[in-house]
Amino acid sequence: GRRVRMAFELKLADGTPVDAATAGEPLEWTVGDGTLDHGLESLLEGLAPGERVTFDVPPGQAFGEHDPANVHELPLGDFPEGLAPREGAVFRFATPGGQEIPGTVVEVGEAAARVDFNHPLAGRRFRLRVEILAVAGESPV
């Protein structure tokens, strides 16, 4: 339940930038609230304000492994009207339970598109650089 403020830079193994937050516009989150993947939270455990650390994160340690069962073929009619799916596009889809989940279009056919509902970093190697700016109570993460 500790509140954390941090700057970070996340890049794929080849150096492609994925996401970042600066000290001027940091990421603020509460440990265990689901903002960060559990695997990422476990990497940060024990870090104190002022610490700067770089992690080389192997595939599956955070965001899970890529699961082929999470790739589905959807009729083109399931996409929002006026927005034709194209490879690489991300759409939000409603689940039967009413939640919205993102899906990335990986292939478009004449009547359907294949959509990957895995996290985009699932099964990927990446590098995470963090600087812990503050922790509520100044105790470690």
Side-chain angles (χ1 to χ4, degrees), residues 98-110:
Q99 293 179 311
E100 281 195 349
I101 59 170
T104 304
V105 177
V106 292
E107 184 180 347
V108 179
E110 293 201 18

Side-chain angles (χ1 to χ4, degrees), residues 18-114:
V18 174
D19 200 3
T22 65
E25 293 187 34
L27 174 65
E28 294 187 32
W29 55 283
T30 301
V31 175
D33 73 356
T35 298
L36 292 185
D37 174 84
H38 178 71
L40 290 182
E41 274 195 13
S42 66
L43 291 173
L44 304 176
E45 203 170 293
L47 296 180
E51 287 193 72
R52 295 178 183 191
V53 183
T54 300
F55 301 98
D56 286 314
V57 184
Q61 182 171 343
F63 306 109
E65 293 291 344
H66 186 272
D67 183 355
N70 287 336
V71 180
H72 300 277
E73 193 159 308
L74 301 176
L76 295 180
D78 285 0
F79 291 85
E81 191 174 323
L83 292 175
R86 59 178 167 62
E87 286 185 31
V90 178
F91 288 87
R92 291 204 164 285
F93 295 89
T95 66
Q99 293 179 311
E100 281 195 349
I101 59 170
T104 304
V105 177
V106 292
E107 184 180 347
V108 179
E110 293 201 18
R114 289 176 41 83

Side-chain angles (χ1 to χ4, degrees), residues 126-140:
F126 59 91
R127 175 169 280 186
L128 175 66
R129 286 187 4 198
V130 297
E131 177 183 2
I132 304 299
L133 303 170
V135 178
E138 296 299 309
S139 61

